[in-house]
Amino acid sequence: MKKTVMITGITGQDGSYLAEFLLEKGYKVHGVVRHSSAESYARLSHLQHRLTLHKADLLDEGSLKSLIDQVRPAEFYNLAAMSFVPVSWQQPTLTSEVTGLGTLRVLEAIRAVDPTIRFYQASSSEMYGDVVETPQTETTRFHPRSPYAVAKVFAHHITVNYRESYGMFACSGILFNHESPRRGLDFVTHKITHAAARIKLGLQQELRLGNLDACRDWGFAGDYVEAMWLMLQQDQADDFVVATNQTTRVGDFVRMAFQYLGLDYKRHVVIDPDFFRPAEVNLLKGNPAKARRVLGWEPRTDLRQLVEMMVDHDLALARTARALQTVETPRIRVA
């Protein structure tokens, strides 16, 4: 008999890769989308006939209880969040409600309906913020530096509390930055590869960025969803860092993307103060030794492969855009 799984945030980057992965594992996959969501289902277009999507909301615990009672999933993956850090400064209250309290509402709904459901919480390396040690591990102290990161810390700790207080199988994956061609264009990696491809084809001239010296631990989202699944297959619930243990400057990511296309990024990149954060996170580097030891998980895609994958995808899109721009208007002969 097929296992049933529920995913919040299924329309996002991670949700779409996780849905693909679980379908290949033979799961019945159910996804949660908001009642008033204007978000495109483009990332799911190749999967939508194999999924069941439901309307519910992390702001409405009643809708979550009803849905969980109806579907009765064996596993629940909470990937939904207000996840773009700069927007969390503009909408801190909503970010806290969705990303922080939304997790609590899911846990309460599971506890009320069926506390044997296995729960995965998407924690974030942003929780470390102004880091106290490098690399960061499961025991490194958190020092969040944005409303998003603060909300994620609350969600992480409430997940631990429900595990320890109620005996629920509730775990968190502390995922470091993970990217793909499906990453939103607001995020710096996709902003870089998208712009590089368009500059190569003459569709734009410059790329405006903020802090090029910020360092991140970047991996491939398609690799990281396997770690999520592995956490819920263990005998005991626990929390795990999922990372590559490598850190790279934003400026070096830019250089790699432009270099792959034969471009000198220094001729096109403009530093714009508007893109600096109010409180910067300068260095993130995760140690996945525990995930390697306990889960048997390792990242399979290195940074260069990731950069080239994203650039190739964006170059194909840019070529299509250029072709649409250069279609000649039919000439009309005047007698």
Side-chain angles (χ1 to χ4, degrees):
M1 182 176 175
K2 286 187 175 181
K3 273 187 180 181
T4 300
V5 63
M6 186 172 290
I7 304 170
T8 66
I10 195 169
T11 60
Q13 170 190 254
D14 292 8
S16 65
Y17 278 112
L18 181 61
E20 276 180 347
F21 179 84
L22 294 173
L23 286 168
E24 291 304 309
K25 289 285 183 185
Y27 282 77
K28 291 181 181 178
V29 177
H30 294 253
V32 180
V33 295
R34 287 171 294 168
H35 290 290
S36 58
S37 177
E39 187 170 1
S40 167
Y41 294 173
R43 296 183 182 95
L44 300 176
S45 59
H46 62 302
L47 300 174
Q48 208 158 341
H49 64 290
R50 303 171 64 191
L51 305 171
T52 305
L53 299 180
H54 305 268
K55 297 293 180 71
D57 200 314
L58 292 186
L59 299 178
D60 178 9
E61 188 177 320
S63 71
L64 295 168
K65 284 181 180 176
S66 297
L67 183 54
I68 292 168
D69 191 37
Q70 173 191 340
V71 176
R72 294 287 174 151
E75 299 172 7
F76 193 113
Y77 295 83
N78 185 38
L79 310 185
M82 294 278 289
S83 59
F84 188 47
V85 172
V87 171
S88 78
W89 287 104
Q90 299 164 16
Q91 298 180 293
T93 303
L94 182 59
T95 298
S96 300
E97 284 283 352
V98 174
T99 305
L101 290 175
T103 301
L104 174 57
R105 294 185 187 101
V106 173
L107 286 164
E108 268 295 284
I110 290 173
R111 187 171 77 91
V113 175
D114 181 0
T116 68
I117 293 170
R118 296 191 165 207
F119 174 77
Y120 170 84
Q121 167 60 18
S123 288
S124 169
S125 60
E126 288 286 331
M127 300 187 304
Y128 295 115
D130 191 9
V131 298
V132 298
E133 64 178 1
T134 300
Q136 294 87 55
T137 71
E138 293 80 5
T139 59
T140 300
R141 180 174 60 82
F142 300 139
H143 188 154
R145 300 270 282 172
S146 68
Y148 166 77
V150 171
K152 279 291 187 183
V153 169
F154 173 85
H156 180 86
H157 283 310
I158 202 66
T159 300
V160 172
N161 270 260
Y162 271 60
R163 177 172 73 226
E164 295 178 350
S165 302
Y166 298 120
M168 293 170 62
F169 194 106
C171 62
S172 293
I174 307 173
L175 270 58
F176 281 64
N177 295 69
H178 46 291
E179 318 298 318
S180 77
R182 300 179 193 174
R183 192 60 143 152
L185 275 173
D186 287 336
F187 291 87
V188 69
T189 51
H190 200 181
K191 181 179 178 179
I192 291 165
T193 59
H194 178 78
R198 290 177 61 82
I199 289 168
K200 177 67 176 179
L201 297 183
L203 296 173
Q204 70 183 68
Q205 298 304 313
E206 66 178 33
L207 166 62
R208 304 184 80 83
L209 293 171
N211 183 10
L212 296 189
D213 291 323
C215 296
R216 294 293 184 269
D217 184 329
W218 280 302
F220 174 47
D223 293 344
Y224 284 29
V225 298
E226 181 183 12
M228 300 177 189
W229 173 76
L230 285 168
M231 289 179 212
L232 295 196
Q233 312 315 307
Q234 304 306 303
D235 292 333
Q236 291 185 321
D238 205 349
D239 306 320
F240 295 88
V241 163
V242 180
T244 70
N245 205 22
Q246 302 291 325
T247 191
T248 304
R249 289 176 62 253
V250 172
D252 289 330
F253 192 104
V254 176
R255 177 184 52 76
M256 291 171 68
F258 277 72
Q259 193 174 67
Y260 182 55
L261 293 171
L263 298 171
D264 179 0
Y265 79 92
K266 293 178 182 178
R267 298 179 60 185
H268 303 282
V269 172
V270 177
I271 303 303
D272 187 335
D274 287 345
F275 291 107
F276 281 77
R277 296 182 182 184
E280 191 60 69
V281 175
N282 291 312
L283 173 62
L284 293 174
K285 179 182 180 182
N287 182 354
K290 182 178 174 182
R292 184 181 299 117
R293 184 180 71 252
V294 178
L295 306 178
W297 178 85
E298 298 233 17
R300 293 186 295 273
T301 308
D302 66 28
L303 182 60
R304 186 165 297 280
Q305 291 172 313
L306 175 61
V307 170
E308 293 178 2
M309 176 198 312
M310 293 177 68
V311 170
D312 286 341
H313 175 268
D314 288 333
L315 192 60
L317 291 180
R319 285 182 176 133
T320 300
R322 186 176 66 173
L324 290 173
Q325 285 185 11
T326 56
V327 172
E328 285 190 86
T329 303
R331 294 181 183 178
I332 300 173
R333 294 185 62 183
V334 179

